[in-house]
Amino acid sequence: MSSASVVLLTGSRGFTGRYVREALVQTGYQVTGLVPDTPGPGEVHGDISDPASLREAMSRVRPQFVIHLAAIAFVGHRDPWDFYRINLFGTLNLLEALTQNGVKPEKVILASSSNVYGITPLPFVGEDFPPAPVNHYATSKLAMEHMSRTWLDRLPLVFTRPFNYTGPGQSEDFVIPKIASHFAHKKSEIRLGNLDIEREFNDVRMVAQAYRALLETAPSGTTVNICTGVGHRLLDILQLASRISGHKLQVEVDPAWVRPNELPSLVGNPGHLKQLIPDLPSFTIEQTLTNMIESLQVKTLA
């Protein structure tokens, strides 16, 4: 990999994108973030819902690599049409812009989601488990995968299915940042949905390093779970947050936040990922949650 290798990063200003940019820069890549509004340093204008702006961006950047993170990622997003407009057709616009401008990147990584697996009886879900999405977010991601595979004769695509992950800077629309914030700010109570669900809550820094390394190790056409195989119940997270912060609060289960199609458990099989990236850094949930709570306490003091 040359120090001049350019990575076009969509979603570069988002939670994941900021960490992926940092991981790439530290390794010597030149990163150009694709942004829908006025670009700043290291950015180029391009809206994934606007094909003309994407064609212009590809002509200007001509990247050696692409990591496509831009998406509606919150399962509870209120407008289901947005999932398909952005996650599916936005990706189609991106792939068309790459090929129409004669850009031939060495690798294009497309971020899908572990949510495509749906409800599974398996304790650890591998890439060969038949997808069965149960919500619009997951359906849009699986549709994106199927659509994109029609481009494999023209572009070297890699499909990633990240399991749940978190870290400092994630929106409180997501449950772990919400929990961390309530404990960091010493709130008296917290309202949550189903406390018995089991999820991986991996560290965004591990995920960022996985994206960086997959540029160099994953063959075209590969589907990769980004996961650790370690699940946690929300009840356990609440107890851990209380111990880290030294604070106790009242937990209220709000029936309105218990989704009827909630997946009871979703934990991945990391075997394929470990084959491709044997030296991926690891973080315990205690390390991640401690970082989140401490970063919020520092902001409060500032």
Side-chain angles (χ1 to χ4, degrees):
M1 188 273 296
S2 165
S3 60
S5 293
V6 177
V7 180
L8 181 72
L9 178 63
T10 78
S12 59
R13 292 179 180 174
F15 166 60
T16 310
R18 293 192 297 271
Y19 285 92
V20 172
R21 176 189 279 275
E22 182 180 0
L24 291 167
V25 170
Q26 288 178 348
T27 315
Y29 287 97
Q30 179 182 330
V31 182
T32 299
L34 185 79
V35 298
D37 48 21
T38 303
E43 297 178 332
V44 64
H45 171 71
D47 187 333
I48 63 170
S49 62
D50 177 10
S53 70
L54 289 179
R55 290 193 294 270
E56 173 65 22
M58 298 307 161
S59 295
R60 293 181 59 186
V61 179
R62 305 195 71 82
Q64 282 78 49
F65 300 95
V66 178
I67 300 179
H68 177 39
L69 303 178
I72 302 294
F74 178 50
V75 174
H77 182 75
R78 63 184 177 278
D79 186 351
W81 288 97
D82 286 345
F83 289 117
Y84 302 97
R85 182 175 60 85
I86 299 299
N87 298 357
L88 174 58
F89 293 109
T91 302
L92 175 61
N93 291 336
L94 179 68
L95 299 180
E96 285 185 335
L98 281 168
T99 55
Q100 288 172 0
N101 280 276
V103 179
K104 295 184 178 180
E106 297 176 32
K107 194 76 56 70
V108 178
I109 293 183
L110 303 177
S112 182
S113 169
S114 62
N115 270 260
V116 302
Y117 293 117
I119 298 173
T120 166
L122 302 179
F124 304 101
V125 185
E127 291 87 351
D128 57 351
F129 184 82
V134 297
N135 55 54
H136 284 295
Y137 168 65
T139 301
S140 72
K141 285 294 193 178
L142 184 60
M144 179 277 292
E145 288 189 33
H146 286 311
M147 178 278 297
S148 300
R149 286 191 177 278
T150 68
W151 294 78
L152 277 171
D153 60 336
R154 288 160 284 178
L155 292 168
L157 306 177
V158 172
F159 304 88
T160 63
R161 292 174 177 170
F163 283 65
N164 290 47
Y165 60 90
T166 190
Q170 189 177 31
S171 166
E172 289 183 31
D173 284 341
F174 296 88
V175 66
I176 302 302
K178 178 178 179 178
I179 290 172
S181 176
H182 276 65
F183 279 97
H185 297 136
K186 310 294 185 184
K187 297 292 183 65
S188 60
E189 67 175 26
I190 185 171
R191 300 177 72 83
L192 297 170
N194 189 351
L195 301 181
D196 290 321
I197 61 168
E198 181 185 32
R199 294 288 186 275
E200 294 196 20
F201 294 114
N202 297 317
D203 195 293
V204 65
R205 291 169 291 183
M206 179 277 284
V207 174
Q209 289 296 335
Y211 278 116
R212 189 272 309 165
L214 288 171
L215 286 179
E216 302 154 15
T217 62
S220 177
T222 301
T223 299
V224 187
N225 286 343
I226 300 182
C227 63
T228 59
V230 180
H232 304 276
R233 293 189 311 150
L234 281 186
L235 281 170
D236 298 329
I237 299 292
L238 287 164
Q239 292 172 2
L240 180 58
S242 179
R243 181 163 60 82
I244 292 169
S245 65
H247 177 64
K248 294 184 183 294
L249 49 68
Q250 181 69 32
V251 180
E252 298 283 343
V253 175
D254 189 335
W257 291 352
V258 178
R259 300 189 187 113
N261 57 357
E262 188 83 75
L263 308 181
S265 178
L266 190 59
V267 179
N269 181 340
H272 187 32
L273 181 68
K274 288 181 178 179
Q275 287 180 343
L276 293 169
I277 316 172
D279 58 348
L280 196 60
S282 63
F283 301 85
T284 65
I285 184 59
E286 184 168 6
Q287 287 175 304
T288 305
L289 198 55
T290 298
N291 290 158
M292 295 173 73
I293 290 173
E294 289 180 347
S295 69
L296 288 165
Q297 290 172 335
V298 168
K299 286 183 179 179
T300 301
L301 291 173

